[in-house]
Amino acid sequence: MNIVVLVKYIPNPEGTPEMGPDHRLKREGVEGALDPGDEHSVEAALQLAGSDGEVTLVTMGPEAAVGALRRGLSMGGHKGVHVLDDSLKGADVLVTARVLAAVVKRQAGFDLVLAGVESTDGYTGTLPMAVAELLDLPNVTFARKVEVADGTLKVERQTEAGYDEVECPLPAVVTVTAGANEPRYPTLKGIMQAKQKPMDTLSVSDLGLSAEDVKATQEVMGLEPVAAKEAGEVIEDPEEAPGRVVEFLTKAKVI
Amino acid sequence: MDFAIPQDYQDLLASFRSFLEREVRPVEEFYAVQIQDDVFTEEMREAGLALRRKSAELGFYAAHMPESVGGQGLSNLGSALLVEEGAKSGLRFGAFVLGPPNPEAPNPILMDLPEHLHPKYVEPLVRAETTMCFALTEPEAGSDAQSIRTTAVLRDDEWILNGRKHLITNGARADVAVVFAVTDRDKRASGGITAFLVERGAPGFVVGKHQKTLAGDTNQAELIFEDCRVPRENMIGELGYGFASGMRFLNGGRAFIGAMCVGIADHLVRICTQYAKDRHTFGKPIGKYQAVQWMLADSALEVHAARLMTYHLAWLVDQGDYPIKESSMVKLNNTEMVNRVADRAVQIYGGMGLLTEGPVERIFRWVRMLRIVEGTSEIQRVIIARSLGL
């Protein structure tokens, strides 16, 4: 089984993010890592691909984004594709989806595209659906379990109440939750082997996309901190407390 | 000259950091109350050992050991970087998941055992199924290690050991002990001291008193050998040259103790800097006062210098050098440095620095022993002076 995994290099998830003068996250010159959420989709891909399958990791981003591919390759991925092009700076979700869809189309004979549910830096949670739409493929989100049997994809889709059992034909685009698996840790051997694995670097023109295709459709006009929550009311008298709580809940029409 | 950390090592460190965050930190948080009370129960030790076995499976724990016995054959520099990373995390359980510089962990000196004994003794250590100890020190022979009195005499096909070791880290628990004994009284350090591998439970091998240190643990013990019988093949390396190989491996491992000091000091600088920003006195953060700034500036400077010395030493060892002088310099500088940094940390934390429930008191107490163990600061100065021709 041949699987494409969409991965993202994000500023150090343990650190404090910085915003640039263009109101966008500073991505260059800061320490970064493979999005921890994507490690679950890489792990799912490695488990599904088995010993005869192939896992291709795809990312778009500045030079340092190759770090995301390296991590995935050292976990066991087979090859990497890095889309690196100055014209993609400030790309929004739609542009990113166009680029990633164009890369996926070039992967002959792929069976499945996996991605994280949402990125840990941008949190839009819309990119995989946009990619599916552009590729005209079915899309299953929030997979907590992914299996393939007789050429059909079987997914347990996490819901608020439990999970849905979903089946769909291949190829498809699936987003994998953090509950799906425990990602493996790259070993020294894996890290050394990753250096020998094929890695393609592609530009926008290599993908056959025009300047118009990669022109951002959104502009960030400004940025403001989230307003701090007002301090709550503290009731210290234990005699008074139950009555006040009931009063508050009644007023809020909760009871 | 290239000071950049090789990309492979950066990737390995990133993987190890993920392991610390995902596996070790939850255990640390589970036992937060006990750690705060400076209690370390048997249950906590079991939890630490489970983490260690997982780390061994992933290849972190004994990465410094050769591939032929299940290690990763990681260079001295790579191993030192891992040690620094573990110490930098500030995690108490971090000490469990890496071999060096812990004397419980497999030591490359064991590679001098006959090869057919490697699967029996070395490989289980690499898999973290067993632990060892390094039994050199005796009541009458600390810094002057060549004055040891324990003897070994070959009788038929067995070595008969007699003597007493003390302050042996992990001595009470170790499955195997590397024991140094005199095999030729006249030659002593010049061909008269031999190293042996002694199994726990060997006839005549008794664990004596558990010794409690100022660090609060009871991990040191006396080991007593009374006509202790050891198979002839359990000799490590050549007859009479145990002392030389012991010193060689102690020196080779200096980068690890150095790296641990750098990691601990780095952790202290980081938490103190944060505290200096958060703690207010007289209307402003204490980090705005020059008294505190200077303490932190000095600490940051000393950590940087120690780090460069450590990496340089590790690199020298990787080049195949036997850097006696630099090994002593790193041991001396870094252990003294981390004590100064810990002292400043207590000062910056003020009253909080004195409380056992605070984040620096235990470290302050614990690092004190580093100036004594594995060659005191004074012995390191003697060695450095000797390298000057004095």
Side-chain angles (χ1 to χ4, degrees):
Chain A
M1 196 160 163
N2 293 332
I3 303 169
V4 178
V5 189
L6 308 179
V7 296
K8 188 175 186 184
Y9 187 77
I10 62 162
N12 180 10
E14 310 293 333
T16 309
E18 279 182 65
M19 305 306 289
D22 59 351
H23 310 304
R24 289 179 178 277
L25 204 56
K26 260 178 95 170
R27 296 183 182 280
E28 286 178 78
V30 295
E31 260 188 64
L34 169 65
D35 191 321
D38 291 342
E39 288 185 42
H40 297 278
S41 29
V42 175
E43 180 61 43
L46 293 170
Q47 289 179 16
L48 282 169
S51 54
D52 53 349
E54 191 173 73
V55 174
T56 304
L57 306 155
V58 178
T59 198
M60 180 190 111
E63 295 242 7
V66 77
L69 297 179
R70 228 179 20 244
R71 173 91 178 205
L73 293 176
S74 55
M75 285 171 74
H78 299 84
K79 57 181 184 170
V81 180
H82 180 196
V83 183
L84 174 66
D85 197 309
D86 277 347
S87 68
L88 292 170
K89 210 172 169 188
D92 54 23
V93 172
L94 183 56
V95 168
T96 309
R98 281 180 186 145
V99 169
L100 295 179
V103 178
V104 175
K105 267 187 208 162
R106 288 164 55 100
Q107 311 304 313
F110 73 91
D111 301 297
L112 181 64
V113 178
L114 294 182
V117 169
E118 59 188 359
S119 61
T120 307
D121 56 353
Y123 280 113
T124 67
T126 53
L127 180 101
M129 302 80 190
V131 171
E133 183 63 27
L134 291 167
L135 293 171
D136 199 20
L137 293 178
N139 177 215
V140 185
T141 53
F142 297 103
R144 59 169 226 174
K145 191 174 176 190
V146 188
E147 279 177 337
V148 174
D150 305 324
T152 302
L153 184 72
K154 293 183 176 184
V155 173
E156 285 182 11
R157 183 178 184 275
Q158 185 74 50
T159 66
E160 278 183 20
Y163 65 91
D164 297 333
E165 290 179 349
V166 181
E167 285 189 16
C168 88
L170 291 170
V173 178
V174 176
T175 67
V176 179
T177 67
N181 52 44
E182 289 287 329
R184 64 196 70 186
Y185 300 98
T187 60
L188 183 60
K189 197 172 160 197
I191 289 165
M192 302 309 278
Q193 284 171 346
K195 293 201 290 191
Q196 314 300 327
K197 292 178 179 174
M199 180 99 80
D200 273 348
T201 306
L202 302 175
S203 65
V204 165
S205 60
D206 290 334
L207 293 168
L209 295 173
S210 66
E212 195 56 32
D213 290 331
V214 296
K215 197 174 157 203
T217 55
Q218 296 172 354
E219 193 185 341
V220 183
M221 307 297 290
L223 199 67
E224 278 181 46
V226 178
K229 273 190 182 171
E230 283 180 31
E233 186 186 353
V234 180
I235 311 160
E236 287 180 357
D237 181 359
E239 298 288 316
E240 188 194 353
R244 291 286 302 276
V245 171
V246 170
E247 192 185 314
F248 173 81
L249 293 174
T250 311
K251 206 171 154 189
K253 294 187 175 151
V254 176
I255 54 172
Chain B
M1 185 179 286
D2 185 358
F3 281 97
I5 302 297
Q7 188 63 53
D8 304 339
Y9 293 166
Q10 288 187 43
D11 290 349
L12 184 67
L13 293 178
S15 181
F16 183 55
R17 265 196 301 275
S18 307
F19 174 74
L20 289 172
E21 289 305 317
R22 288 180 204 163
E23 312 284 340
V24 183
R25 192 170 294 283
V27 175
E28 184 96 358
E29 284 169 2
F30 184 79
Y31 291 111
V33 174
Q34 288 89 333
I35 289 173
Q36 204 172 43
D37 291 345
D38 201 19
V39 171
F40 206 81
T41 61
E42 203 48 40
E43 179 190 308
M44 289 166 81
R45 187 177 156 79
E46 283 303 320
L49 292 176
L51 286 172
R52 176 181 290 175
R53 282 189 292 273
K54 187 148 199 185
S55 174
E57 268 173 46
L58 294 166
F60 295 127
Y61 174 65
H64 65 299
M65 292 296 284
E67 287 181 80
S68 64
V69 290
Q72 304 287 314
L74 183 61
S75 68
N76 212 267
L77 177 61
S79 303
L81 288 166
L82 275 181
V83 172
E84 181 190 341
E85 197 66 40
K88 244 160 88 169
S89 72
L91 294 167
R92 179 93 193 259
F93 281 93
F96 272 92
V97 297
L98 277 186
N102 192 338
E104 285 185 42
N107 188 303
I109 194 174
L110 298 172
M111 298 310 289
D112 286 351
L113 274 170
E115 213 172 310
H116 72 276
L117 292 180
H118 292 182
K120 184 178 177 188
Y121 293 122
V122 193
E123 292 176 23
L125 282 163
V126 170
R127 292 194 297 267
E129 293 163 2
T130 55
T131 61
M132 60 170 274
C133 66
F134 197 84
L136 175 64
T137 301
E138 297 182 5
E140 303 299 326
S143 293
D144 184 14
Q146 59 168 316
S147 297
I148 58 170
R149 294 177 181 180
T150 299
T151 57
V153 179
L154 188 63
R155 196 179 298 156
D156 300 326
D157 227 20
E158 287 178 324
W159 288 97
I160 309 298
L161 268 61
N162 277 291
R164 190 155 70 99
K165 301 286 178 182
H166 85 157
L167 291 173
I168 305 305
T169 305
N170 195 43
R173 290 194 171 99
D175 299 282
V176 288
V178 173
V179 182
F180 293 83
V182 178
T183 44
D184 187 330
R185 276 187 199 287
D186 300 328
K187 292 185 185 161
R188 291 218 154 256
S190 316
I193 293 175
T194 307
F196 301 92
L197 191 84
V198 184
E199 271 188 77
R200 180 193 180 86
F205 176 14
V206 181
V207 175
K209 199 166 63 173
H210 290 232
Q211 297 169 301
K212 193 169 178 175
T213 65
L214 92 165
D217 57 30
T218 47
N219 204 20
Q220 328 298 317
E222 274 188 337
L223 302 182
I224 299 154
F225 303 92
E226 287 173 336
D227 288 330
C228 173
R229 303 206 313 267
V230 178
R232 183 178 189 160
E233 62 182 7
N234 280 23
M235 187 171 83
I236 301 171
E238 284 179 58
L239 177 66
Y241 289 92
F243 189 73
S245 58
M247 288 301 118
R248 182 157 48 94
F249 287 111
L250 271 180
N251 273 326
R254 296 280 190 235
F256 304 144
I257 200 167
M260 184 178 68
C261 294
V262 171
I264 296 169
D266 186 284
H267 166 72
L268 288 172
V269 170
R270 206 170 53 248
I271 62 171
C272 286
T273 304
Q274 191 58 50
Y275 187 73
K277 287 178 184 174
D278 297 341
R279 168 80 173 161
H280 285 65
T281 56
F282 305 105
K284 56 180 178 179
I286 59 168
K288 291 286 174 200
Y289 297 105
Q290 223 171 39
V292 174
Q293 288 176 0
W294 286 22
M295 282 194 270
L296 281 168
D298 286 347
S299 292
L301 160 76
E302 292 189 38
V303 171
H304 179 59
R307 180 176 280 132
L308 292 180
M309 284 176 71
T310 307
Y311 294 176
H312 178 244
L313 168 63
W315 176 83
L316 282 174
V317 174
D318 287 336
Q319 305 311 304
D321 285 355
Y322 177 37
I324 297 175
K325 179 181 69 179
E326 288 83 358
S327 293
S328 286
M329 285 178 167
V330 165
K331 169 70 172 63
L332 170 61
N333 177 71
N334 293 20
T335 57
E336 298 273 341
M337 176 280 293
V338 74
N339 273 273
R340 288 192 296 273
V341 171
D343 186 75
R344 291 184 198 119
V346 172
Q347 203 65 22
I348 290 166
Y349 269 81
M352 275 298 289
L354 303 175
L355 294 183
T356 52
E357 67 191 56
V360 295
E361 184 270 349
R362 188 185 64 80
I363 299 175
F364 174 78
R365 254 186 308 120
W366 191 82
V367 296
R368 183 59 184 85
M369 67 163 189
L370 298 175
R371 288 165 54 196
I372 308 275
V373 300
E374 291 189 23
T376 60
S377 292
E378 291 66 36
I379 283 294
Q380 306 308 331
R381 287 188 174 92
V382 168
I383 295 169
I384 296 165
R386 208 179 286 155
S387 77
L388 299 174
L390 297 171

